[in-house]
Amino acid sequence: MTQALRKVVTFDEFVAKYPDNTGKRYELYDGVVVEMPQPTDDHEEVVVFLSTKITLEYSRLSLPYGIPKTVLVKPLENESAYSPDVLLLNLPNLINEPLWKKESTVSQAASISLLVEVVSTNWRDDYLKKYADYEQMGIPEHWIIDYAALGGREFIGKPKQPTILVCCLEEGECRISKFRGDDRIQSPTFPQLNLTAEQIFRVGKSLSNNPSCVTRNLG
């Protein structure tokens, strides 16, 4: 579970203090600093797999994109700041970002071509809070990867099953498409992407069963 630290802070106070020297990860939710749960190995392996697949695709298409290591996404309407698991930046627009040079933060939808949240124990944040803020920001496409079927039944069905939600902005509102099993993921950003839901769901297990193919503590 996420743990909210009591003091309410502004975004400027948040970026001045965090990350601290503890090695812990934090996000800011409406002025409340939230300590994020430590990712599991499967979670990190899914992140690495997706980052690689997306990088190969935008490189193949010679698109001016990039995936940074540590960048915050800040909704302008509130004192929040998120660190997505995968953030695909539209590099030419960074010149228009007022917080980019000083704080490595983006707040404009034009800077974000795609972002991915890989669900962990704080699943309500991904399905509710972040979903609403990303929609309000006008982010054109974001994915919610629930490979461990942790989310609520209203999102991933009953009985619960691993699900990928691709949320695409249409006329100011998100249209959600769900993918499971051998469904090929339909991405408006990468319409030729050859990737199924099952490939993502099984990556953690397959890597864990073959230690020679994975480096632990990916950071």
PDB file of all heavy atoms in Angstrom, residues 41-42 45-46 49 147 198-214 216:
ATOM      1  N   ASP A  41      10.347  -7.695  -9.001  1.00  0.00           N
ATOM      2  CA  ASP A  41      11.176  -7.996 -10.166  1.00  0.00           C
ATOM      3  C   ASP A  41      10.320  -8.147 -11.430  1.00  0.00           C
ATOM      4  O   ASP A  41      10.681  -7.657 -12.505  1.00  0.00           O
ATOM      5  CB  ASP A  41      12.033  -9.244  -9.933  1.00  0.00           C
ATOM      6  CG  ASP A  41      11.227 -10.475  -9.545  1.00  0.00           C
ATOM      7  OD1 ASP A  41      10.004 -10.354  -9.311  1.00  0.00           O
ATOM      8  OD2 ASP A  41      11.820 -11.566  -9.460  1.00  0.00           O
ATOM      9  N   ASP A  42       9.152  -8.793 -11.307  1.00  0.00           N
ATOM     10  CA  ASP A  42       8.280  -8.951 -12.469  1.00  0.00           C
ATOM     11  C   ASP A  42       7.835  -7.592 -13.006  1.00  0.00           C
ATOM     12  O   ASP A  42       7.781  -7.368 -14.212  1.00  0.00           O
ATOM     13  CB  ASP A  42       7.049  -9.788 -12.111  1.00  0.00           C
ATOM     14  CG  ASP A  42       7.374 -11.258 -11.922  1.00  0.00           C
ATOM     15  OD1 ASP A  42       8.516 -11.649 -12.220  1.00  0.00           O
ATOM     16  OD2 ASP A  42       6.496 -12.011 -11.474  1.00  0.00           O
ATOM     17  N   GLU A  45      10.657  -6.050 -14.901  1.00  0.00           N
ATOM     18  CA  GLU A  45      10.917  -6.752 -16.160  1.00  0.00           C
ATOM     19  C   GLU A  45       9.897  -6.377 -17.226  1.00  0.00           C
ATOM     20  O   GLU A  45      10.216  -6.237 -18.412  1.00  0.00           O
ATOM     21  CB  GLU A  45      10.946  -8.263 -15.905  1.00  0.00           C
ATOM     22  CG  GLU A  45      12.209  -8.694 -15.168  1.00  0.00           C
ATOM     23  CD  GLU A  45      12.086 -10.011 -14.435  1.00  0.00           C
ATOM     24  OE1 GLU A  45      11.029 -10.659 -14.551  1.00  0.00           O
ATOM     25  OE2 GLU A  45      13.042 -10.389 -13.741  1.00  0.00           O
ATOM     26  N   VAL A  46       8.653  -6.182 -16.812  1.00  0.00           N
ATOM     27  CA  VAL A  46       7.626  -5.713 -17.740  1.00  0.00           C
ATOM     28  C   VAL A  46       7.974  -4.312 -18.244  1.00  0.00           C
ATOM     29  O   VAL A  46       7.854  -4.014 -19.438  1.00  0.00           O
ATOM     30  CB  VAL A  46       6.232  -5.738 -17.084  1.00  0.00           C
ATOM     31  CG1 VAL A  46       5.214  -5.005 -17.943  1.00  0.00           C
ATOM     32  CG2 VAL A  46       5.772  -7.176 -16.860  1.00  0.00           C
ATOM     33  N   PHE A  49      10.837  -4.573 -20.732  1.00  0.00           N
ATOM     34  CA  PHE A  49      10.351  -5.167 -21.985  1.00  0.00           C
ATOM     35  C   PHE A  49       9.589  -4.138 -22.814  1.00  0.00           C
ATOM     36  O   PHE A  49       9.825  -3.981 -24.024  1.00  0.00           O
ATOM     37  CB  PHE A  49       9.453  -6.361 -21.647  1.00  0.00           C
ATOM     38  CG  PHE A  49       8.824  -7.017 -22.840  1.00  0.00           C
ATOM     39  CD1 PHE A  49       9.559  -7.870 -23.649  1.00  0.00           C
ATOM     40  CD2 PHE A  49       7.490  -6.808 -23.152  1.00  0.00           C
ATOM     41  CE1 PHE A  49       8.985  -8.487 -24.748  1.00  0.00           C
ATOM     42  CE2 PHE A  49       6.899  -7.406 -24.239  1.00  0.00           C
ATOM     43  CZ  PHE A  49       7.646  -8.259 -25.052  1.00  0.00           C
ATOM     44  N   TYR A 147      -0.822  -6.788 -15.337  1.00  0.00           N
ATOM     45  CA  TYR A 147      -0.376  -8.154 -15.646  1.00  0.00           C
ATOM     46  C   TYR A 147      -0.670  -9.130 -14.513  1.00  0.00           C
ATOM     47  O   TYR A 147      -0.782 -10.340 -14.730  1.00  0.00           O
ATOM     48  CB  TYR A 147       1.121  -8.160 -15.977  1.00  0.00           C
ATOM     49  CG  TYR A 147       2.013  -7.925 -14.784  1.00  0.00           C
ATOM     50  CD1 TYR A 147       2.574  -8.987 -14.078  1.00  0.00           C
ATOM     51  CD2 TYR A 147       2.307  -6.638 -14.340  1.00  0.00           C
ATOM     52  CE1 TYR A 147       3.386  -8.781 -12.978  1.00  0.00           C
ATOM     53  CE2 TYR A 147       3.107  -6.412 -13.253  1.00  0.00           C
ATOM     54  CZ  TYR A 147       3.653  -7.489 -12.572  1.00  0.00           C
ATOM     55  OH  TYR A 147       4.447  -7.272 -11.479  1.00  0.00           O
ATOM     56  N   GLU A 198      -0.569 -11.163 -24.207  1.00  0.00           N
ATOM     57  CA  GLU A 198       0.063 -12.319 -23.575  1.00  0.00           C
ATOM     58  C   GLU A 198       1.580 -12.212 -23.569  1.00  0.00           C
ATOM     59  O   GLU A 198       2.244 -12.655 -22.627  1.00  0.00           O
ATOM     60  CB  GLU A 198      -0.370 -13.605 -24.273  1.00  0.00           C
ATOM     61  CG  GLU A 198       0.163 -14.885 -23.641  1.00  0.00           C
ATOM     62  CD  GLU A 198      -0.237 -15.044 -22.181  1.00  0.00           C
ATOM     63  OE1 GLU A 198      -1.324 -14.560 -21.795  1.00  0.00           O
ATOM     64  OE2 GLU A 198       0.545 -15.652 -21.423  1.00  0.00           O
ATOM     65  N   GLN A 199       2.161 -11.618 -24.605  1.00  0.00           N
ATOM     66  CA  GLN A 199       3.606 -11.422 -24.619  1.00  0.00           C
ATOM     67  C   GLN A 199       4.055 -10.577 -23.429  1.00  0.00           C
ATOM     68  O   GLN A 199       5.110 -10.838 -22.832  1.00  0.00           O
ATOM     69  CB  GLN A 199       4.028 -10.736 -25.916  1.00  0.00           C
ATOM     70  CG  GLN A 199       4.027 -11.642 -27.131  1.00  0.00           C
ATOM     71  CD  GLN A 199       4.391 -10.871 -28.385  1.00  0.00           C
ATOM     72  OE1 GLN A 199       3.590 -10.096 -28.922  1.00  0.00           O
ATOM     73  NE2 GLN A 199       5.607 -11.044 -28.853  1.00  0.00           N
ATOM     74  N   ILE A 200       3.279  -9.577 -23.088  1.00  0.00           N
ATOM     75  CA  ILE A 200       3.611  -8.731 -21.938  1.00  0.00           C
ATOM     76  C   ILE A 200       3.374  -9.483 -20.636  1.00  0.00           C
ATOM     77  O   ILE A 200       4.194  -9.454 -19.722  1.00  0.00           O
ATOM     78  CB  ILE A 200       2.785  -7.440 -21.978  1.00  0.00           C
ATOM     79  CG1 ILE A 200       3.144  -6.624 -23.220  1.00  0.00           C
ATOM     80  CG2 ILE A 200       3.007  -6.613 -20.716  1.00  0.00           C
ATOM     81  CD1 ILE A 200       2.261  -5.413 -23.442  1.00  0.00           C
ATOM     82  N   PHE A 201       2.257 -10.203 -20.547  1.00  0.00           N
ATOM     83  CA  PHE A 201       1.913 -10.889 -19.298  1.00  0.00           C
ATOM     84  C   PHE A 201       2.932 -11.954 -18.917  1.00  0.00           C
ATOM     85  O   PHE A 201       3.204 -12.179 -17.740  1.00  0.00           O
ATOM     86  CB  PHE A 201       0.529 -11.533 -19.420  1.00  0.00           C
ATOM     87  CG  PHE A 201      -0.585 -10.545 -19.628  1.00  0.00           C
ATOM     88  CD1 PHE A 201      -1.725 -10.899 -20.337  1.00  0.00           C
ATOM     89  CD2 PHE A 201      -0.508  -9.257 -19.122  1.00  0.00           C
ATOM     90  CE1 PHE A 201      -2.753  -9.994 -20.536  1.00  0.00           C
ATOM     91  CE2 PHE A 201      -1.523  -8.343 -19.314  1.00  0.00           C
ATOM     92  CZ  PHE A 201      -2.656  -8.713 -20.031  1.00  0.00           C
ATOM     93  N   ARG A 202       3.486 -12.610 -19.915  1.00  0.00           N
ATOM     94  CA  ARG A 202       4.382 -13.726 -19.583  1.00  0.00           C
ATOM     95  C   ARG A 202       5.847 -13.338 -19.488  1.00  0.00           C
ATOM     96  O   ARG A 202       6.684 -14.168 -19.124  1.00  0.00           O
ATOM     97  CB  ARG A 202       4.212 -14.840 -20.603  1.00  0.00           C
ATOM     98  CG  ARG A 202       4.741 -14.556 -21.993  1.00  0.00           C
ATOM     99  CD  ARG A 202       4.741 -15.829 -22.833  1.00  0.00           C
ATOM    100  NE  ARG A 202       5.264 -15.591 -24.157  1.00  0.00           N
ATOM    101  CZ  ARG A 202       4.551 -15.616 -25.279  1.00  0.00           C
ATOM    102  NH1 ARG A 202       3.251 -15.878 -25.223  1.00  0.00           N
ATOM    103  NH2 ARG A 202       5.118 -15.389 -26.451  1.00  0.00           N
ATOM    104  N   VAL A 203       6.181 -12.080 -19.793  1.00  0.00           N
ATOM    105  CA  VAL A 203       7.592 -11.713 -19.829  1.00  0.00           C
ATOM    106  C   VAL A 203       8.256 -11.856 -18.470  1.00  0.00           C
ATOM    107  O   VAL A 203       9.381 -12.364 -18.373  1.00  0.00           O
ATOM    108  CB  VAL A 203       7.782 -10.290 -20.396  1.00  0.00           C
ATOM    109  CG1 VAL A 203       7.184  -9.237 -19.476  1.00  0.00           C
ATOM    110  CG2 VAL A 203       9.256 -10.008 -20.617  1.00  0.00           C
ATOM    111  N   GLY A 204       7.587 -11.423 -17.403  1.00  0.00           N
ATOM    112  CA  GLY A 204       8.189 -11.537 -16.085  1.00  0.00           C
ATOM    113  C   GLY A 204       8.457 -12.978 -15.703  1.00  0.00           C
ATOM    114  O   GLY A 204       9.528 -13.326 -15.221  1.00  0.00           O
ATOM    115  N   LYS A 205       7.470 -13.844 -15.949  1.00  0.00           N
ATOM    116  CA  LYS A 205       7.619 -15.253 -15.603  1.00  0.00           C
ATOM    117  C   LYS A 205       8.719 -15.907 -16.398  1.00  0.00           C
ATOM    118  O   LYS A 205       9.550 -16.645 -15.864  1.00  0.00           O
ATOM    119  CB  LYS A 205       6.294 -15.986 -15.838  1.00  0.00           C
ATOM    120  CG  LYS A 205       6.356 -17.460 -15.500  1.00  0.00           C
ATOM    121  CD  LYS A 205       5.007 -18.123 -15.734  1.00  0.00           C
ATOM    122  CE  LYS A 205       5.078 -19.618 -15.415  1.00  0.00           C
ATOM    123  NZ  LYS A 205       3.784 -20.295 -15.663  1.00  0.00           N
ATOM    124  N   SER A 206       8.773 -15.629 -17.697  1.00  0.00           N
ATOM    125  CA  SER A 206       9.775 -16.286 -18.543  1.00  0.00           C
ATOM    126  C   SER A 206      11.177 -15.830 -18.183  1.00  0.00           C
ATOM    127  O   SER A 206      12.117 -16.616 -18.163  1.00  0.00           O
ATOM    128  CB  SER A 206       9.493 -15.994 -20.021  1.00  0.00           C
ATOM    129  OG  SER A 206       9.636 -14.618 -20.304  1.00  0.00           O
ATOM    130  N   LEU A 207      11.323 -14.528 -17.846  1.00  0.00           N
ATOM    131  CA  LEU A 207      12.643 -14.040 -17.463  1.00  0.00           C
ATOM    132  C   LEU A 207      13.065 -14.590 -16.107  1.00  0.00           C
ATOM    133  O   LEU A 207      14.213 -14.941 -15.895  1.00  0.00           O
ATOM    134  CB  LEU A 207      12.634 -12.520 -17.438  1.00  0.00           C
ATOM    135  CG  LEU A 207      12.572 -11.828 -18.801  1.00  0.00           C
ATOM    136  CD1 LEU A 207      12.395 -10.331 -18.623  1.00  0.00           C
ATOM    137  CD2 LEU A 207      13.799 -12.113 -19.627  1.00  0.00           C
ATOM    138  N   SER A 208      12.093 -14.688 -15.198  1.00  0.00           N
ATOM    139  CA  SER A 208      12.416 -15.183 -13.858  1.00  0.00           C
ATOM    140  C   SER A 208      12.845 -16.633 -13.891  1.00  0.00           C
ATOM    141  O   SER A 208      13.647 -17.086 -13.082  1.00  0.00           O
ATOM    142  CB  SER A 208      11.196 -15.017 -12.942  1.00  0.00           C
ATOM    143  OG  SER A 208      10.863 -13.661 -12.793  1.00  0.00           O
ATOM    144  N   ASN A 209      12.314 -17.398 -14.850  1.00  0.00           N
ATOM    145  CA  ASN A 209      12.658 -18.802 -14.948  1.00  0.00           C
ATOM    146  C   ASN A 209      13.965 -19.042 -15.672  1.00  0.00           C
ATOM    147  O   ASN A 209      14.415 -20.174 -15.796  1.00  0.00           O
ATOM    148  CB  ASN A 209      11.540 -19.566 -15.680  1.00  0.00           C
ATOM    149  CG  ASN A 209      10.297 -19.691 -14.825  1.00  0.00           C
ATOM    150  OD1 ASN A 209      10.367 -19.573 -13.605  1.00  0.00           O
ATOM    151  ND2 ASN A 209       9.153 -19.916 -15.455  1.00  0.00           N
ATOM    152  N   ASN A 210      14.598 -17.971 -16.174  1.00  0.00           N
ATOM    153  CA  ASN A 210      15.861 -18.114 -16.883  1.00  0.00           C
ATOM    154  C   ASN A 210      16.804 -17.027 -16.381  1.00  0.00           C
ATOM    155  O   ASN A 210      16.957 -15.991 -17.014  1.00  0.00           O
ATOM    156  CB  ASN A 210      15.659 -17.977 -18.389  1.00  0.00           C
ATOM    157  CG  ASN A 210      16.921 -18.326 -19.164  1.00  0.00           C
ATOM    158  OD1 ASN A 210      17.967 -18.580 -18.570  1.00  0.00           O
ATOM    159  ND2 ASN A 210      16.820 -18.324 -20.485  1.00  0.00           N
ATOM    160  N   PRO A 211      17.446 -17.263 -15.228  1.00  0.00           N
ATOM    161  CA  PRO A 211      18.264 -16.218 -14.609  1.00  0.00           C
ATOM    162  C   PRO A 211      19.362 -15.701 -15.512  1.00  0.00           C
ATOM    163  O   PRO A 211      19.817 -14.575 -15.356  1.00  0.00           O
ATOM    164  CB  PRO A 211      18.842 -16.920 -13.361  1.00  0.00           C
ATOM    165  CG  PRO A 211      17.908 -18.052 -13.094  1.00  0.00           C
ATOM    166  CD  PRO A 211      17.408 -18.502 -14.438  1.00  0.00           C
ATOM    167  N   SER A 212      19.824 -16.507 -16.467  1.00  0.00           N
ATOM    168  CA  SER A 212      20.907 -16.065 -17.337  1.00  0.00           C
ATOM    169  C   SER A 212      20.473 -14.960 -18.273  1.00  0.00           C
ATOM    170  O   SER A 212      21.304 -14.278 -18.873  1.00  0.00           O
ATOM    171  CB  SER A 212      21.440 -17.245 -18.161  1.00  0.00           C
ATOM    172  OG  SER A 212      20.435 -17.717 -19.057  1.00  0.00           O
ATOM    173  N   CYS A 213      19.140 -14.739 -18.409  1.00  0.00           N
ATOM    174  CA  CYS A 213      18.625 -13.754 -19.368  1.00  0.00           C
ATOM    175  C   CYS A 213      18.222 -12.445 -18.724  1.00  0.00           C
ATOM    176  O   CYS A 213      17.695 -11.575 -19.388  1.00  0.00           O
ATOM    177  CB  CYS A 213      17.412 -14.341 -20.118  1.00  0.00           C
ATOM    178  SG  CYS A 213      17.835 -15.735 -21.168  1.00  0.00           S
ATOM    179  N   VAL A 214      18.436 -12.313 -17.421  1.00  0.00           N
ATOM    180  CA  VAL A 214      17.942 -11.100 -16.760  1.00  0.00           C
ATOM    181  C   VAL A 214      18.922 -10.632 -15.695  1.00  0.00           C
ATOM    182  O   VAL A 214      19.555 -11.434 -15.030  1.00  0.00           O
ATOM    183  CB  VAL A 214      16.562 -11.346 -16.107  1.00  0.00           C
ATOM    184  CG1 VAL A 214      16.608 -12.425 -15.050  1.00  0.00           C
ATOM    185  CG2 VAL A 214      16.014 -10.051 -15.518  1.00  0.00           C
ATOM    186  N   ARG A 216      19.126  -8.632 -12.232  1.00  0.00           N
ATOM    187  CA  ARG A 216      18.256  -8.179 -11.150  1.00  0.00           C
ATOM    188  C   ARG A 216      18.645  -6.771 -10.705  1.00  0.00           C
ATOM    189  O   ARG A 216      19.697  -6.244 -11.067  1.00  0.00           O
ATOM    190  CB  ARG A 216      18.338  -9.153  -9.969  1.00  0.00           C
ATOM    191  CG  ARG A 216      17.852 -10.558 -10.329  1.00  0.00           C
ATOM    192  CD  ARG A 216      16.396 -10.528 -10.711  1.00  0.00           C
ATOM    193  NE  ARG A 216      15.917 -11.853 -11.076  1.00  0.00           N
ATOM    194  CZ  ARG A 216      14.730 -12.102 -11.559  1.00  0.00           C
ATOM    195  NH1 ARG A 216      13.896 -11.104 -11.777  1.00  0.00           N
ATOM    196  NH2 ARG A 216      14.346 -13.327 -11.857  1.00  0.00           N
TER     197      ARG A 216
END
